[in-house]
Amino acid sequence: MSEIPDIEAMLAELDEKMNTVQALRDEAVASTYTGSSADQAVVARVDGLGAIQDLSIPDAELRSNHPSALGGKILEAINSARAQAVDDSNAKMIEALPGFGS
């Protein structure tokens, strides 16, 4: 006959993990990451969840003869900052909750 699982212990463990995830989320919201376009012209700052906090675009870029290139630079900067945020968040999640992502 198989043992009946300890539901109370399982719920306590789940609650602990949920609290850990919430703490990591709160920490991510308070963290900032900076990325830039390949030519360093555009700089973006995001929080640990990837929300844009700041975008720096020099006047020269705004007045360029090739404004169509600006969109790509903005995306590069934002994606660079977000990639850092994701990498950091994943590393913290794996450390806090072994087995995450496997």
Side-chain angles (χ1 to χ4, degrees), residues 36-66:
S36 62
S37 58
D39 64 359
Q40 308 294 310
V42 177
V43 177
R45 187 171 48 89
V46 302
D47 69 13
L49 300 179
I52 299 169
Q53 302 298 308
D54 188 44
L55 190 59
S56 174
I57 304 170
D59 286 343
E61 289 295 319
L62 294 172
R63 291 173 174 63
S64 168
N65 290 331
H66 304 286

Side-chain angles (χ1 to χ4, degrees), residues 6-23 93 96-97:
D6 184 354
I7 299 297
E8 292 299 321
M10 291 171 67
L11 289 173
E13 182 180 354
L14 178 60
D15 190 46
E16 181 181 325
K17 288 182 180 185
M18 287 174 51
N19 288 336
T20 299
V21 170
Q22 184 60 48
M93 186 72 80
L97 300 171

Side-chain angles (χ1 to χ4, degrees), residues 22-91:
Q22 184 60 48
L24 289 171
R25 187 184 191 319
D26 293 344
E27 183 180 337
V29 169
S31 300
T32 58
Y33 301 86
T34 303
S36 62
S37 58
D39 64 359
Q40 308 294 310
V42 177
V43 177
R45 187 171 48 89
V46 302
D47 69 13
L49 300 179
I52 299 169
Q53 302 298 308
D54 188 44
L55 190 59
S56 174
I57 304 170
D59 286 343
E61 289 295 319
L62 294 172
R63 291 173 174 63
S64 168
N65 290 331
H66 304 286
S68 61
L70 185 56
K73 291 179 182 186
I74 292 170
L75 286 176
E76 272 184 315
I78 293 169
N79 287 339
S80 172
R82 284 181 174 165
Q84 292 174 46
V86 167
D87 289 346
D88 189 47
S89 292
N90 285 345

